[in-house]
PDB file of all heavy atoms in Angstrom:
ATOM      1  N   GLU E   8     145.154 -56.263  30.316  1.00 64.00           N
ATOM      2  CA  GLU E   8     144.886 -55.583  29.048  1.00 64.00           C
ATOM      3  C   GLU E   8     145.159 -56.492  27.856  1.00 64.00           C
ATOM      4  O   GLU E   8     144.529 -56.366  26.815  1.00 64.00           O
ATOM      5  CB  GLU E   8     145.732 -54.311  28.949  1.00 64.00           C
ATOM      6  CG  GLU E   8     145.289 -53.220  29.892  1.00 64.00           C
ATOM      7  CD  GLU E   8     146.203 -52.016  29.844  1.00 64.00           C
ATOM      8  OE1 GLU E   8     146.980 -51.886  28.867  1.00 64.00           O
ATOM      9  OE2 GLU E   8     146.146 -51.218  30.784  1.00 64.00           O
ATOM     10  N   ALA E   9     146.107 -57.399  28.009  1.00 75.00           N
ATOM     11  CA  ALA E   9     146.517 -58.258  26.903  1.00 75.00           C
ATOM     12  C   ALA E   9     145.839 -59.632  26.948  1.00 75.00           C
ATOM     13  O   ALA E   9     146.298 -60.547  26.305  1.00 75.00           O
ATOM     14  CB  ALA E   9     148.036 -58.421  26.919  1.00 75.00           C
ATOM     15  N   SER E  10     144.773 -59.766  27.699  1.00 88.00           N
ATOM     16  CA  SER E  10     144.088 -61.040  27.852  1.00 88.00           C
ATOM     17  C   SER E  10     143.545 -61.533  26.500  1.00 88.00           C
ATOM     18  O   SER E  10     142.776 -60.843  25.837  1.00 88.00           O
ATOM     19  CB  SER E  10     142.935 -60.888  28.843  1.00 88.00           C
ATOM     20  OG  SER E  10     142.067 -61.985  28.759  1.00 88.00           O
ATOM     21  N   LEU E  11     143.950 -62.732  26.134  1.00 87.00           N
ATOM     22  CA  LEU E  11     143.474 -63.336  24.886  1.00 87.00           C
ATOM     23  C   LEU E  11     141.967 -63.558  24.934  1.00 87.00           C
ATOM     24  O   LEU E  11     141.254 -63.268  23.968  1.00 87.00           O
ATOM     25  CB  LEU E  11     144.195 -64.658  24.625  1.00 87.00           C
ATOM     26  CG  LEU E  11     143.719 -65.448  23.406  1.00 87.00           C
ATOM     27  CD1 LEU E  11     143.932 -64.638  22.131  1.00 87.00           C
ATOM     28  CD2 LEU E  11     144.423 -66.773  23.330  1.00 87.00           C
ATOM     29  N   VAL E  12     141.482 -64.048  26.066  1.00 89.00           N
ATOM     30  CA  VAL E  12     140.047 -64.305  26.191  1.00 89.00           C
ATOM     31  C   VAL E  12     139.271 -62.998  26.041  1.00 89.00           C
ATOM     32  O   VAL E  12     138.260 -62.944  25.334  1.00 89.00           O
ATOM     33  CB  VAL E  12     139.732 -64.991  27.539  1.00 89.00           C
ATOM     34  CG1 VAL E  12     138.236 -65.059  27.788  1.00 89.00           C
ATOM     35  CG2 VAL E  12     140.348 -66.384  27.584  1.00 89.00           C
ATOM     36  N   ARG E  13     139.738 -61.950  26.704  1.00 91.00           N
ATOM     37  CA  ARG E  13     139.054 -60.655  26.593  1.00 91.00           C
ATOM     38  C   ARG E  13     139.079 -60.156  25.147  1.00 91.00           C
ATOM     39  O   ARG E  13     138.066 -59.697  24.618  1.00 91.00           O
ATOM     40  CB  ARG E  13     139.689 -59.621  27.513  1.00 91.00           C
ATOM     41  CG  ARG E  13     138.965 -58.273  27.460  1.00 91.00           C
ATOM     42  CD  ARG E  13     139.536 -57.236  28.414  1.00 91.00           C
ATOM     43  NE  ARG E  13     139.301 -57.624  29.800  1.00 91.00           N
ATOM     44  CZ  ARG E  13     140.258 -58.036  30.632  1.00 91.00           C
ATOM     45  NH1 ARG E  13     141.514 -58.087  30.241  1.00 91.00           N
ATOM     46  NH2 ARG E  13     139.967 -58.371  31.866  1.00 91.00           N
ATOM     47  N   ALA E  14     140.228 -60.250  24.505  1.00 89.00           N
ATOM     48  CA  ALA E  14     140.350 -59.768  23.127  1.00 89.00           C
ATOM     49  C   ALA E  14     139.452 -60.551  22.182  1.00 89.00           C
ATOM     50  O   ALA E  14     138.778 -59.967  21.322  1.00 89.00           O
ATOM     51  CB  ALA E  14     141.805 -59.837  22.673  1.00 89.00           C
ATOM     52  N   LEU E  15     139.410 -61.863  22.344  1.00 88.00           N
ATOM     53  CA  LEU E  15     138.560 -62.677  21.471  1.00 88.00           C
ATOM     54  C   LEU E  15     137.080 -62.402  21.726  1.00 88.00           C
ATOM     55  O   LEU E  15     136.287 -62.332  20.784  1.00 88.00           O
ATOM     56  CB  LEU E  15     138.863 -64.167  21.670  1.00 88.00           C
ATOM     57  CG  LEU E  15     140.183 -64.658  21.101  1.00 88.00           C
ATOM     58  CD1 LEU E  15     140.447 -66.104  21.519  1.00 88.00           C
ATOM     59  CD2 LEU E  15     140.226 -64.520  19.595  1.00 88.00           C
ATOM     60  N   THR E  16     136.717 -62.238  22.987  1.00 92.00           N
ATOM     61  CA  THR E  16     135.322 -61.951  23.323  1.00 92.00           C
ATOM     62  C   THR E  16     134.898 -60.605  22.751  1.00 92.00           C
ATOM     63  O   THR E  16     133.823 -60.477  22.154  1.00 92.00           O
ATOM     64  CB  THR E  16     135.126 -61.972  24.851  1.00 92.00           C
ATOM     65  OG1 THR E  16     135.493 -63.270  25.339  1.00 92.00           O
ATOM     66  CG2 THR E  16     133.685 -61.681  25.232  1.00 92.00           C
ATOM     67  N   ARG E  17     135.730 -59.589  22.925  1.00 94.00           N
ATOM     68  CA  ARG E  17     135.411 -58.267  22.398  1.00 94.00           C
ATOM     69  C   ARG E  17     135.333 -58.299  20.868  1.00 94.00           C
ATOM     70  O   ARG E  17     134.457 -57.693  20.264  1.00 94.00           O
ATOM     71  CB  ARG E  17     136.432 -57.231  22.862  1.00 94.00           C
ATOM     72  CG  ARG E  17     136.330 -56.923  24.356  1.00 94.00           C
ATOM     73  CD  ARG E  17     137.404 -55.932  24.813  1.00 94.00           C
ATOM     74  NE  ARG E  17     137.353 -54.672  24.111  1.00 94.00           N
ATOM     75  CZ  ARG E  17     136.544 -53.664  24.395  1.00 94.00           C
ATOM     76  NH1 ARG E  17     135.693 -53.779  25.397  1.00 94.00           N
ATOM     77  NH2 ARG E  17     136.580 -52.547  23.708  1.00 94.00           N
ATOM     78  N   THR E  18     136.242 -59.038  20.259  1.00 92.00           N
ATOM     79  CA  THR E  18     136.239 -59.153  18.805  1.00 92.00           C
ATOM     80  C   THR E  18     134.979 -59.861  18.324  1.00 92.00           C
ATOM     81  O   THR E  18     134.339 -59.427  17.357  1.00 92.00           O
ATOM     82  CB  THR E  18     137.495 -59.903  18.320  1.00 92.00           C
ATOM     83  OG1 THR E  18     138.650 -59.178  18.752  1.00 92.00           O
ATOM     84  CG2 THR E  18     137.516 -60.049  16.813  1.00 92.00           C
ATOM     85  N   ALA E  19     134.614 -60.945  18.990  1.00 93.00           N
ATOM     86  CA  ALA E  19     133.405 -61.680  18.603  1.00 93.00           C
ATOM     87  C   ALA E  19     132.178 -60.782  18.712  1.00 93.00           C
ATOM     88  O   ALA E  19     131.317 -60.766  17.820  1.00 93.00           O
ATOM     89  CB  ALA E  19     133.239 -62.923  19.469  1.00 93.00           C
ATOM     90  N   ARG E  20     132.112 -60.006  19.768  1.00 96.00           N
ATOM     91  CA  ARG E  20     130.964 -59.110  19.934  1.00 96.00           C
ATOM     92  C   ARG E  20     130.958 -58.011  18.886  1.00 96.00           C
ATOM     93  O   ARG E  20     129.906 -57.648  18.353  1.00 96.00           O
ATOM     94  CB  ARG E  20     130.954 -58.529  21.338  1.00 96.00           C
ATOM     95  CG  ARG E  20     130.569 -59.575  22.360  1.00 96.00           C
ATOM     96  CD  ARG E  20     130.419 -59.032  23.736  1.00 96.00           C
ATOM     97  NE  ARG E  20     130.029 -60.115  24.632  1.00 96.00           N
ATOM     98  CZ  ARG E  20     130.053 -60.016  25.928  1.00 96.00           C
ATOM     99  NH1 ARG E  20     130.426 -58.903  26.518  1.00 96.00           N
ATOM    100  NH2 ARG E  20     129.695 -61.046  26.675  1.00 96.00           N
ATOM    101  N   ALA E  21     132.133 -57.481  18.571  1.00 95.00           N
ATOM    102  CA  ALA E  21     132.213 -56.423  17.554  1.00 95.00           C
ATOM    103  C   ALA E  21     131.804 -56.962  16.182  1.00 95.00           C
ATOM    104  O   ALA E  21     131.073 -56.301  15.436  1.00 95.00           O
ATOM    105  CB  ALA E  21     133.631 -55.845  17.496  1.00 95.00           C
ATOM    106  N   VAL E  22     132.245 -58.153  15.854  1.00 95.00           N
ATOM    107  CA  VAL E  22     131.881 -58.756  14.568  1.00 95.00           C
ATOM    108  C   VAL E  22     130.383 -59.046  14.536  1.00 95.00           C
ATOM    109  O   VAL E  22     129.713 -58.793  13.529  1.00 95.00           O
ATOM    110  CB  VAL E  22     132.713 -60.032  14.292  1.00 95.00           C
ATOM    111  CG1 VAL E  22     132.172 -60.787  13.082  1.00 95.00           C
ATOM    112  CG2 VAL E  22     134.175 -59.671  14.089  1.00 95.00           C
ATOM    113  N   THR E  23     129.854 -59.550  15.640  1.00 95.00           N
ATOM    114  CA  THR E  23     128.418 -59.822  15.710  1.00 95.00           C
ATOM    115  C   THR E  23     127.616 -58.543  15.470  1.00 95.00           C
ATOM    116  O   THR E  23     126.654 -58.544  14.692  1.00 95.00           O
ATOM    117  CB  THR E  23     128.053 -60.445  17.078  1.00 95.00           C
ATOM    118  OG1 THR E  23     128.749 -61.684  17.209  1.00 95.00           O
ATOM    119  CG2 THR E  23     126.559 -60.683  17.198  1.00 95.00           C
ATOM    120  N   LEU E  24     128.008 -57.452  16.118  1.00 96.00           N
ATOM    121  CA  LEU E  24     127.314 -56.176  15.912  1.00 96.00           C
ATOM    122  C   LEU E  24     127.403 -55.719  14.460  1.00 96.00           C
ATOM    123  O   LEU E  24     126.486 -55.092  13.944  1.00 96.00           O
ATOM    124  CB  LEU E  24     127.893 -55.102  16.834  1.00 96.00           C
ATOM    125  CG  LEU E  24     127.536 -55.248  18.311  1.00 96.00           C
ATOM    126  CD1 LEU E  24     128.330 -54.248  19.158  1.00 96.00           C
ATOM    127  CD2 LEU E  24     126.045 -55.069  18.525  1.00 96.00           C
ATOM    128  N   ARG E  25     128.493 -56.054  13.813  1.00 96.00           N
ATOM    129  CA  ARG E  25     128.688 -55.661  12.412  1.00 96.00           C
ATOM    130  C   ARG E  25     127.828 -56.481  11.456  1.00 96.00           C
ATOM    131  O   ARG E  25     127.314 -55.961  10.471  1.00 96.00           O
ATOM    132  CB  ARG E  25     130.174 -55.816  12.060  1.00 96.00           C
ATOM    133  CG  ARG E  25     130.526 -55.571  10.632  1.00 96.00           C
ATOM    134  CD  ARG E  25     131.242 -54.254  10.471  1.00 96.00           C
ATOM    135  NE  ARG E  25     131.545 -53.982   9.097  1.00 96.00           N
ATOM    136  CZ  ARG E  25     132.741 -54.129   8.553  1.00 96.00           C
ATOM    137  NH1 ARG E  25     133.761 -54.503   9.272  1.00 96.00           N
ATOM    138  NH2 ARG E  25     132.913 -53.856   7.287  1.00 96.00           N
TER     139      ARG E  25
END
Side-chain angles (χ1 to χ4, degrees):
E8 289 176 17
S10 165
L11 176 62
V12 171
R13 182 177 293 109
L15 287 173
T16 301
R17 290 177 59 82
T18 301
R20 288 185 179 167
V22 170
T23 298
L24 288 172
R25 175 107 182 257

